[in-house]
Amino acid sequence: LPLTDLLPDINSALAWVQVREYPRNEHTRKEIFSLYQRACMAGRHKMYAREAEDGSTASSFPLVLSSSFKDVKQYTAKKDIEIQPAYEGSVIALDDSLSEKCIHAKSLLLRCVHFPLYPRLTHAESAKIVKVLGSLP
């Protein structure tokens, strides 16, 4: 078969694995999320409100910073943790003319970051992120 005919089969196989592993991955994400949440309660940064039991956990942990993104980025980089701006591909990030009209959205764009929350994080990796979340500048 030509390679283009094999791609749907590969994508289907990858999707099947993800569907089959979903309950275990979701359980692991929720455990890591609760660790992150407890670490953030001691700090001064804020989290989004979400459903406690039935809400799905995404592959990242959004955190609204009380300090500058630059300081937090430098701190996490020293600890070998990669964070990303949460809304870097949003409309407010791509269109500067909206900045004056949407002051709160621009503020959130500059202060919200994503921490990794993957089910394949090792215990040591998630413990390191928990420690960093509790001690962010």
Side-chain angles (χ1 to χ4, degrees):
L1 292 175
L3 183 61
T4 55
D5 290 348
L6 291 175
L7 285 177
D9 291 338
I10 293 170
N11 287 335
S12 295
L14 291 172
W16 172 246
V17 170
Q18 293 219 346
V19 168
R20 187 182 67 210
E21 296 293 319
Y22 178 79
R24 186 181 64 80
N25 289 342
E26 189 65 14
H27 177 71
T28 304
R29 280 190 193 109
K30 285 183 180 183
E31 287 177 350
I32 295 171
F33 182 89
S34 66
L35 292 172
Y36 287 7
Q37 190 176 27
R38 276 187 252 130
C40 289
M41 286 182 184
R44 60 188 183 135
H45 305 288
K46 298 186 178 9
M47 301 170 295
Y48 287 114
R50 63 175 231 126
E51 290 185 42
E53 292 298 320
D54 296 330
S56 178
T57 307
S59 60
S60 63
F61 181 79
L63 188 67
V64 180
L65 304 174
S66 296
S67 60
S68 75
F69 172 77
K70 183 180 175 183
D71 294 342
V72 172
K73 179 76 172 173
Q74 288 175 348
Y75 182 75
T76 56
K78 287 179 189 176
K79 305 291 184 179
D80 295 325
I81 297 172
E82 183 179 337
I83 62 169
Q84 296 179 351
Y87 301 111
E88 65 185 340
S90 67
V91 172
I92 194 74
L94 300 174
D95 189 355
D96 287 334
S97 66
L98 293 175
S99 296
E100 295 174 10
K101 298 175 186 173
C102 307
I103 297 169
H104 298 293
K106 183 68 173 186
S107 173
L108 195 58
L109 166 72
L110 297 173
R111 297 181 306 121
C112 190
V113 297
H114 279 166
F115 279 82
L117 196 158
Y118 309 116
R120 302 289 185 254
L121 283 174
T122 65
H123 181 66
E125 290 169 334
S126 58
K128 181 167 65 168
I129 295 171
V130 166
K131 187 176 179 181
V132 167
L133 283 169
S135 63
L136 284 174

